Amino acid sequence: PLHSTTLHYTTASLHEDNMAPNKKKSKKSKQELHEEEAGEKHSSLIAQTTKSIRKEAKVVKSFECQKIIRKIKALNESSKSASTANDKDEDGATNTSDAAISPTAAGVDEKTQLQLEKLDEKLKAMKEFDIDCV
């Protein structure tokens, strides 16, 4: 029985210590409360929209990279098929003479190479693009 009263006394003294009778709670005016709530809502909205924009920017960035890679692959495939078509004669045998390569075929290769270089630069720029600056 003595032990239970000691426990009761301890919790009662803790309760009294937490209630500071000389300190008054500072009440905020309705205007101050409104401004505080509005500020919290505003920062919450900013955080949500920033997160959403970054997420969408990542999706767009990956889509653009995929699109460039597809173009590069298509150009590589078309240049390979054009070069193999120029290397074979009508019988299907491989022609090793330099006369078999027409000037237009060489021009296509230069044009394709230029397009590939531009696409590579574009892909590098897209990969290096910093989403955080959006």
Side-chain angles (χ1 to χ4, degrees), residues 8-71:
H8 177 66
Y9 177 75
T10 306
T11 55
S13 65
L14 287 175
H15 182 65
E16 289 173 3
D17 289 340
N18 288 337
M19 296 177 61
N22 294 336
K23 291 185 180 178
K24 294 182 179 179
K25 282 189 173 180
S26 61
K27 290 189 175 183
K28 294 181 181 179
S29 69
K30 288 183 179 182
Q31 181 67 24
E32 290 173 336
L33 286 173
H34 176 70
E35 289 174 0
E36 187 177 309
E37 288 175 4
E40 290 173 1
K41 286 181 182 178
H42 182 265
S43 30
S44 172
L45 286 173
I46 294 289
Q48 287 175 348
T49 53
T50 303
K51 183 178 176 181
S52 176
I53 288 172
R54 285 185 182 165
K55 183 178 178 181
E56 293 300 320
K58 285 181 182 180
V59 170
V60 169
K61 181 179 175 180
S62 67
F63 176 74
E64 288 295 323
C65 287
Q66 289 172 0
K67 197 164 84 171
I68 293 168
I69 290 170
R70 273 189 243 119
K71 285 181 182 178

Side-chain angles (χ1 to χ4, degrees), residues 82-97 100-101:
S83 66
T84 56
N86 287 334
D87 289 344
K88 295 191 178 216
D89 61 9
E90 295 157 2
D91 296 334
T94 304
N95 190 347
T96 57
S97 69
I101 300 175

